[in-house]
Amino acid sequence: MSLNKNNISFIFSFLMVLGLTAQEKSDSEKDSILIENLDEVVVTATRTIRQLSSLPLPVTLIPKKQLQQTGVTRLNEILNEQTGIIMTPDATIGGGEGVQIQGIASDYILVLIDGVPVVGRSSGNLDLSRFAIGNIKQIEVVKGPSSSLFGSEALGGVINIITEKPVSDKISGQVSHRVASFNNQNTNFSLNQRLDKIGYSFFADRLSTDGYDLTPNQEGNTVNPFVNYTFNGRVFYDLSERLDIYASGRHFFQEFDVSPSTSEEKDTNLQLKINHNPSKRINLQYEFYYTNYITNEKVVDAGSNELLIENDFDQKLFRPEIRFNHTFKADHILTLGGGYNFENLNRSLFAETVSFDSQYVFAQYDFKPLERLNVIAGARFDNHSEYNSQLSPKISARYELTDHLALKGSVGSGFKAPDFRQLYLDFTNAAGGGYSVFGKEVEAAGIQRLQNNGEIATLQVATSELGQKLNAESSIGYNLGFAFKKGKISSELNFFRNDFKNLIDTRILAAKTNGQNVFGYINRESVYTQGLEVDVKYNPTNQLNLSAGYQLLFAYDKDKLKAIDNGEVFARDPETLSTVQLEKSDYFGLENRSRHTLNFKAFYDIPKWEANANLRVTYRGKFGLTDRNGNGLLDDYDNAFIDGYALVNLAFGKTFFKYYQLQLGANNLLNFKGNNPLATQDSEVLINPGIQLFTKLNIQF
């Protein structure tokens, strides 16, 4: 099944005609697109404005007030305090963190800014520490497969960063400076104004640090000293009552101090959006988006000044998209859309610049067949130049059992396309003994080149297998739960399961004459994650907000479970030194997953003193880093586990003279550092830098 460019052009034209020719049938009926202002409204889950409490999907909303009162400066810091969300480290120069949702790795989580995707996964992981939150209105996290609306990379969920819009006709803004441990300096400035038909906003942020070292007996820092800058400007213009235009530009620059090595990072995003309401029932959105992510990284031996690794990365994405919303009547909304992705990557580890292009269409119907039943059904079709076409359906429903209790559930599929690295990587690591890695599209030519040079000792796969197509990784996600809200208390219980197949893994293609291997990629792994999440919120007074969350997670490789059932997996008992056959209870699960995670938050406002305080506690249970006993899985006999630990964060804020706010706080108040079990004997490796104190002064105008 395929979709060509003529089909896409026809669909775009069809949607435009629908919007321009549709007539209003009844001006008196409720317009569900232009919804009145509501508390806790979200747009990511359905691509339309919806109240959080009415959604049939598991969604986490982080409001602006929480961002301000916690005193955090980066996206990864605030996400780590949410139920079912864990930050995982990135192994690249300078550190950084990705995100894990419901046990699903960072590679499979789509990250958006104002509804458009960010790029820059040089190693599969997207570093969330590069996103400043000083101008963010709210953060929305949709858990579970969301490819029915967002396509590839939304296999495990979506994080949407929504920035603020100007609302006042007076010039307003703020300037702030935050000082923290490790000489962490953060300064930001924002300015915005809305004048009748035109509005604008500007935001600038600077962050620098001396870094820190968790491995004092090893060369180099865990986080190197760095400085980064973020600039964001936006303009809003109402051409008429029915037509408005929005334009946005963002630029991020970061430089690490790793002399004599070098590491620079640049990220540019440009967005133009036209919003058209030809009638009260019809809404059309035309969107043009361009992004460019660049890294320049060179690893140099300090002694010999020899260039060991050069990793230049230049990725571009251009995406036009059109969306059409039609409100037939109250609570019945049809959404249609289509778009085109043009993407290319120039990377020093590739033989040449490579390009992707894809077309997609999607449809969704959000309706109420019964007064107490809301159903959302949708699907998306993606046609890609490098892999098989994908159809991603999803259906969600919410039924109000009583005025205070609702049952909600969803079933949907997700996918992730093979990335540039898995298709086109052509890399030989001279510094690492000469091993080679080839992407699927170049592995046949790469093996042939090595054979011609006499570098292949034995071929480990049949020649006919080289260059066979990789399939897109795919998943089916299930969520079922209850939502309760009455008076001062609200809670949600959600059971989830995510089944993955065709996950891309590495394999050995050949053995080289120097004793090293040649690696390639193959669809092989089949895994699942399942468990439950509980969130409880209690507001005993208007000033005190309490909340707690818990996740129970099981994450397993299905092939490993089958091997255990067949009695094929063994381990050595470190106490008895005897070899034992593993049982299911001995298999801990996938790496870097905790069985239990908890969080607790208390926010207290003191209006009389114009002050506030908050306490946030997160607990991450025991998790394993890697298989160390050679049986191919993480079991209870491995000595690669990090014990469970708690992080306690505290912040106080006080307003002076109406416009001046002073904030004091401590992250990791208990000074937890921990030890990494992979460290060699007598070589301490920590997993946390310890307590981090900060103070912040904010001036509003």
Side-chain angles (χ1 to χ4, degrees):
M1 189 175 185
S2 64
L3 196 65
N4 59 35
K5 297 178 183 178
N6 292 332
N7 297 138
I8 290 293
S9 299
F10 171 76
I11 290 169
F12 278 6
S13 301
F14 175 69
L15 292 180
M16 291 178 68
V17 170
L18 275 177
L20 294 172
T21 60
Q23 299 296 319
E24 177 62 33
K25 294 183 180 179
S26 173
D27 291 342
S28 62
E29 294 190 45
K30 179 181 177 181
D31 177 12
S32 295
I33 296 176
L34 304 176
I35 294 178
E36 296 178 358
N37 291 330
L38 298 171
D39 292 334
E40 298 190 323
V41 295
V42 297
V43 297
T44 312
T46 63
R47 284 202 165 188
T48 57
I49 299 174
R50 285 290 303 268
Q51 192 170 11
L52 176 65
S53 59
S54 70
L55 284 171
L57 304 166
V59 178
T60 296
L61 174 66
I62 308 172
K64 177 182 177 180
K65 184 176 180 180
Q66 185 178 143
L67 297 174
Q68 292 177 328
Q69 292 190 349
T70 56
V72 300
T73 64
R74 287 303 184 265
L75 180 62
N76 59 309
E77 298 173 298
I78 195 68
L79 287 177
N80 203 41
E81 299 179 353
Q82 314 305 315
T83 304
I85 302 177
I86 297 293
M87 303 313 301
T88 56
D90 184 6
T92 58
I93 283 182
E97 290 184 307
V99 63
Q100 182 188 110
I101 297 177
Q102 291 185 345
I104 304 169
S106 174
D107 307 46
Y108 308 104
I109 308 300
L110 179 65
V111 179
L112 311 171
I113 297 180
D114 291 322
V116 291
V118 292
V119 299
R121 300 174 185 265
S122 59
S123 59
N125 184 55
L126 188 67
D127 177 17
L128 300 188
S129 64
R130 78 182 200 229
F131 299 107
I133 62 174
N135 67 331
I136 291 179
K137 175 186 176 184
Q138 63 189 44
I139 301 167
E140 300 173 7
V141 182
V142 182
K143 299 177 181 178
S146 300
S147 292
S148 62
L149 283 177
F150 296 101
S152 181
E153 295 180 12
L155 179 147
V158 177
I159 299 171
N160 192 8
I161 305 163
I162 299 175
T163 55
E164 286 192 284
K165 293 182 178 180
V167 293
S168 174
D169 59 357
K170 296 181 180 179
I171 295 178
S172 62
Q174 64 179 23
V175 59
S176 69
H177 185 72
R178 180 182 185 271
V179 180
S181 303
F182 313 113
N183 195 26
N184 184 295
Q185 306 273 345
N186 180 227
T187 304
N188 63 58
F189 169 78
S190 65
L191 183 71
N192 59 79
Q193 186 180 22
R194 181 80 188 191
L195 291 171
D196 192 21
K197 293 185 177 183
I198 191 168
Y200 66 88
S201 66
F202 176 76
F203 172 75
D205 182 276
R206 181 189 185 276
L207 175 68
S208 65
T209 179
D210 289 343
Y212 54 82
D213 188 14
L214 303 181
T215 57
N217 296 320
Q218 297 181 16
E219 184 178 349
N221 291 334
T222 304
V223 171
N224 291 297
F226 68 83
V227 59
N228 66 47
Y229 299 88
T230 301
F231 302 98
N232 184 206
R234 304 198 299 163
V235 176
F236 305 81
Y237 183 60
D238 296 333
L239 291 171
S240 68
E241 292 182 357
R242 297 181 180 270
L243 186 66
D244 59 82
I245 297 177
Y246 156 73
S248 173
R250 174 183 173 271
H251 181 71
F252 169 83
F253 172 78
Q254 180 165 256
E255 183 176 23
F256 287 95
D257 183 5
V258 288
S259 181
S261 300
T262 60
S263 180
E264 292 182 351
E265 187 176 13
K266 301 175 184 177
D267 184 16
T268 301
N269 317 105
L270 299 172
Q271 182 184 10
L272 174 65
K273 183 177 177 180
I274 302 171
N275 190 62
H276 182 207
N277 298 297
S279 73
K280 286 189 176 181
R281 289 182 173 275
I282 300 293
N283 170 254
L284 277 163
Q285 296 174 9
Y286 310 90
E287 189 172 75
F288 302 90
Y289 175 64
Y290 170 81
T291 183
N292 182 203
Y293 176 81
I294 299 173
T295 61
N296 297 300
E297 184 178 85
K298 293 179 174 62
V299 179
V300 179
D301 183 270
S304 64
N305 212 34
E306 177 187 1
L307 178 63
L308 301 178
I309 298 176
E310 183 176 13
N311 183 18
D312 293 341
F313 185 100
D314 186 350
Q315 182 180 5
K316 297 181 177 69
L317 168 67
F318 174 66
R319 190 192 77 177
E321 182 177 288
I322 183 172
R323 295 186 293 275
F324 165 81
N325 294 304
H326 188 285
T327 304
F328 295 96
K329 59 181 181 179
D331 303 315
H332 286 249
I333 302 175
L334 173 66
T335 299
L336 301 174
Y340 207 126
N341 286 322
F342 303 89
E343 189 173 4
N344 69 66
L345 175 61
N346 182 13
R347 189 174 185 181
S348 54
L349 303 183
F350 291 178
E352 59 185 14
T353 300
V354 294
S355 299
F356 286 167
D357 67 87
S358 62
Q359 312 90 35
Y360 60 89
V361 291
F362 59 87
Q364 176 184 268
Y365 190 42
D366 183 348
F367 66 107
K368 276 192 169 185
L370 302 172
E371 183 180 354
R372 289 182 174 268
L373 177 63
N374 176 215
V375 178
I376 303 175
R380 172 167 162 149
F381 179 82
D382 286 80
N383 181 61
H384 198 281
S385 60
E386 303 298 327
Y387 65 90
N388 294 332
S389 302
Q390 299 291 315
L391 179 65
S392 306
K394 186 172 185 176
I395 186 167
S396 310
R398 184 180 189 274
Y399 184 72
E400 296 179 3
L401 299 170
T402 71
D403 291 341
H404 307 292
L405 180 65
L407 171 68
K408 61 181 186 177
S410 64
V411 180
S413 66
F415 78 96
K416 180 180 181 296
D419 61 30
F420 286 111
R421 170 177 51 98
Q422 294 159 342
L423 292 176
Y424 297 105
L425 184 63
D426 187 344
F427 172 65
T428 296
N429 185 9
Y435 71 86
S436 299
V437 185
F438 295 129
K440 179 58 74 172
E441 294 293 321
V442 299
E443 65 182 17
I447 290 291
Q448 185 63 54
R449 184 175 73 242
L450 294 178
Q451 286 178 327
N452 293 341
N453 294 336
E455 298 180 52
I456 297 295
T458 59
L459 197 62
Q460 303 295 320
V461 299
T463 305
S464 60
E465 293 183 28
L466 296 175
Q468 289 182 347
K469 286 280 187 181
L470 281 176
N471 293 317
E473 301 171 288
S474 62
S475 74
I476 298 179
Y478 310 86
N479 287 273
L480 179 65
F482 296 90
F484 175 81
K485 185 174 184 179
K486 185 176 182 180
K488 298 178 179 181
I489 190 168
S490 63
S491 63
E492 290 204 13
L493 169 65
N494 182 56
F495 297 90
F496 63 86
R497 179 175 173 107
N498 299 284
D499 279 288
F500 301 85
K501 65 179 182 179
N502 286 330
L503 293 190
I504 297 173
D505 193 13
T506 57
R507 66 167 173 173
I508 296 175
L509 300 177
K512 301 178 77 171
T513 55
N514 64 358
Q516 296 294 321
N517 291 316
V518 181
F519 298 93
Y521 295 95
I522 189 174
N523 291 111
R524 178 160 54 195
E525 292 187 348
S526 178
V527 307
Y528 72 86
T529 71
Q530 68 179 24
L532 65 88
E533 297 171 335
V534 182
D535 272 299
V536 179
K537 297 180 181 179
Y538 178 53
N539 308 119
T541 69
N542 292 332
Q543 289 75 43
L544 180 60
N545 299 316
L546 305 175
S547 65
Y550 167 72
Q551 178 183 260
L552 172 66
L553 174 67
F554 298 91
Y556 294 112
D557 185 316
K558 295 180 182 179
D559 294 331
K560 306 299 184 188
L561 286 172
K562 192 177 297 182
I564 293 174
D565 283 340
N566 295 335
E568 301 170 357
V569 187
F570 299 87
R572 189 176 186 183
D573 189 326
E575 295 183 1
T576 65
L577 301 182
S578 61
T579 299
V580 297
Q581 181 177 309
L582 292 189
E583 299 178 356
K584 279 187 177 180
S585 59
D586 299 317
Y587 180 25
F588 188 81
L590 301 180
E591 290 85 354
N592 209 4
R593 271 79 171 178
S594 295
R595 186 70 41 82
H596 307 281
T597 55
L598 295 148
N599 67 77
F600 171 78
K601 306 184 191 76
F603 286 82
Y604 187 54
D605 290 321
I606 314 172
K608 181 179 178 181
W609 298 348
E610 294 187 276
N612 62 78
N614 62 81
L615 173 70
R616 296 114 54 213
V617 181
T618 60
Y619 171 79
R620 183 175 185 186
K622 169 185 172 183
F623 62 96
L625 297 177
T626 187
D627 165 46
R628 297 193 78 185
N629 55 21
N631 60 10
L633 55 79
L634 189 65
D635 60 71
D636 290 338
Y637 296 104
D638 277 304
N639 60 346
F641 286 94
I642 291 178
D643 293 331
Y645 60 89
L647 299 178
V648 179
N649 303 326
L650 188 66
F652 300 92
K654 175 75 172 73
T655 299
F656 298 92
F657 308 113
K658 190 177 180 180
Y659 299 109
Y660 299 84
Q661 294 92 33
L662 179 65
Q663 191 172 52
L664 305 173
N667 293 330
N668 191 13
L669 186 63
L670 301 182
N671 200 33
F672 168 78
K673 294 184 177 180
N675 289 292
N676 188 327
L678 302 185
T680 57
Q681 189 174 3
D682 301 325
S683 178
E684 183 180 33
V685 178
L686 305 176
I687 64 173
N688 196 291
I691 189 171
Q692 300 163 61
L693 304 174
F694 72 87
T695 182
K696 178 180 179 181
L697 176 63
N698 184 75
I699 303 173
Q700 292 184 331
F701 57 88

